[in-house]
Amino acid sequence: TGIAGPTGATGATGPAGPTGPMGPVANVFSNGLTTNGLYTSTSYANIVATSFTSTKSTAFLIFTASGYGYTGSNSRVAFRILVNGVQQGGTESNVGIYNSFSGISTTVWSCAYSKEVTVPSSGLVTIQVQYLVGAVSGTPGVAIDAASTSGDNCTITAMQ
């Protein structure tokens, strides 16, 4: 055998393969606070909600909230999530943890909730978030400055 000759030119590109199946499509419904607010209710009160027309028997819910509390207070904030008026769960956070030895008060807080829930497979579905605050010592209440502080939020999202 002799020496190998030069490599020939590249051939034409073949046809494109078939398109794969369509993946799942999620409809996203979301609402959040857009203003600054001070929330002081010691019994459950509405804070944010979203609604959608259902096309499936389940929805995936995501709730996030963050803000700050009163300096020198030792308190908590709790949220519950209602689907068409029925509680589906909730979340809570300590707010304003006061260290009496150092005198330092940490007032920022955040919490989150996510869950797949059963919903009617047709018709209007309303997701309502309610909150309450309480204090072991100091002043009960939280601020959520959604309009002016990039880290503050209170948002409910439903995906179906």
Side-chain angles (χ1 to χ4, degrees):
T1 59
I3 298 175
T7 301
T10 301
T13 300
T19 300
M22 175 115 173
V25 175
N27 294 312
V28 179
F29 311 93
S30 188
N31 190 27
L33 297 179
T34 58
T35 60
N36 296 340
L38 181 60
Y39 301 91
T40 60
S41 180
T42 55
S43 59
Y44 278 108
N46 295 342
I47 190 167
V48 69
T50 192
S51 295
F52 60 94
T53 300
S54 182
T55 60
K56 299 174 184 164
S57 62
T58 61
F60 188 72
L61 307 181
I62 302 168
F63 170 73
T64 60
S66 64
Y68 58 95
Y70 287 99
T71 300
S73 292
N74 183 7
S75 58
R76 72 183 263 265
V77 61
F79 297 92
R80 67 181 181 184
I81 289 74
L82 308 175
V83 176
N84 289 344
V86 178
Q87 184 171 342
Q88 297 294 321
T91 184
E92 64 182 297
S93 179
N94 292 328
V95 179
I97 301 167
Y98 181 69
N99 183 330
S100 62
F101 295 105
S102 67
I104 296 172
S105 178
T106 305
T107 65
V108 296
W109 60 271
S110 66
C111 54
Y113 164 93
S114 61
K115 184 179 181 180
E116 185 176 26
V117 298
T118 301
V119 298
S121 58
S122 63
L124 185 66
V125 174
T126 300
I127 313 298
Q128 177 69 61
V129 180
Q130 297 179 327
Y131 82 98
L132 68 74
V133 294
V136 174
S137 62
T139 306
V142 295
I144 302 174
D145 288 346
S148 62
T149 305
S150 64
D152 288 10
N153 77 89
C154 182
T155 303
I156 182 67
T157 301
M159 293 184 285
Q160 194 177 48

